[in-house]
Amino acid sequence: MLFGRKPVAAALVLWAFSLSSSPAQKTVSGDFRPMRTSRQYAPDTFTLDDGLSVIAAALDWRSNRMRDCSHLVHAIYDRAGFSYPYASSSDIYRGTNDFRRVTDPQPGDLVVWRGHVGIVVNPAQSVFFSYLRHGPGTDSYDAQYWRRRGQIRFYRYIKGGPMRTPTD
C-alpha cells in the first residue's frame, strides 16, 4: 500500500525530528541535563541526527527520473552528504564496506532485500521510503508483499569508510 506523499511526509518528518530531541531531567540544583538513552552509536556509524538528514532528503525528493531503487537511495544519501560508491541492492544485501549490518534499525538506515533497497523512516511502524511501482514513496516493510520477497536486512552507513577521509 502506497501512502500519500505530502501529508505523510510532513508527519513523518515531524515525528522523526521529535526523536532527535532528548527529554530533559531536572537535577537537585535545578539545572537541566539530558537523560541518557539506552541506544549507543559506534563512532564510525552515523547518528540518529544523521539518519534524520537522510530522511529529510528522501521525503523532499521530487524527481521521478531514477532508474531503480538503488540509484534513488544512492542519490538521496549523496544529497544528504553521505556519499558512497554506487552499489546495487543485491551488492548491498551481500554487504559492502560502506554499510554495517545492524539488527535494530534507526531512521535513515537501509532496509534491504535481495533485489530491493529502501531507507527506514520509522522503525517503530516499519515505514520505509523507496522507489515503488508508481515512483518514490513510502510503504511498510512488514506488508505481505515485502514479506514475500524473503529475508530482510538492515544496514547503517559507516562514516569515513574506505573511500572517504575524515574531512569528506
Side-chain angles (χ1 to χ4, degrees):
M1 170 168 89
L2 180 66
F3 300 101
R5 284 182 42 173
K6 295 287 183 190
V8 171
L12 290 174
V13 168
L14 289 174
W15 172 85
F17 281 110
S18 73
L19 291 177
S20 66
S21 61
S22 60
Q25 175 180 335
K26 190 168 179 151
T27 63
V28 176
S29 66
D31 295 333
F32 286 90
R33 65 178 177 188
M35 291 178 65
R36 290 184 172 231
T37 61
S38 61
R39 184 179 297 230
Q40 303 243 341
Y41 300 98
D44 60 342
T45 59
F46 73 179
T47 64
L48 180 57
D49 287 339
D50 295 331
L52 295 176
S53 297
V54 171
I55 292 171
L59 297 177
D60 192 38
W61 193 258
R62 301 201 193 297
S63 174
N64 284 331
R65 296 184 297 166
M66 285 293 128
R67 293 182 284 197
D68 59 25
C69 58
S70 55
H71 283 91
L72 175 66
V73 167
H74 181 259
I76 289 169
Y77 264 76
D78 191 54
R79 183 176 183 186
F82 302 102
S83 298
Y84 63 92
Y86 171 79
S88 70
S89 57
S90 296
D91 291 339
I92 295 170
Y93 187 85
R94 285 189 297 270
T96 71
N97 291 330
D98 298 292
F99 293 88
R100 174 180 295 141
R101 190 169 174 188
V102 296
T103 56
D104 186 24
Q106 71 181 29
D109 286 346
L110 298 184
V111 55
V112 190
W113 297 263
R114 283 190 175 94
H116 194 79
V117 62
I119 298 169
V120 175
V121 175
N122 182 338
Q125 295 180 350
S126 305
V127 176
F128 75 104
F129 180 88
S130 187
Y131 195 89
L132 305 173
R133 288 182 186 172
H134 304 291
T138 57
D139 202 354
S140 171
Y141 51 80
D142 279 342
Q144 188 175 10
Y145 173 83
W146 298 108
R147 287 178 183 244
R148 284 193 304 250
R149 291 195 68 114
Q151 181 66 36
I152 191 172
R153 293 182 179 174
F154 298 100
Y155 289 91
R156 186 162 299 144
Y157 181 83
I158 300 172
K159 289 181 173 181
M163 300 299 288
R164 297 173 297 279
T165 62
T167 58
D168 281 351

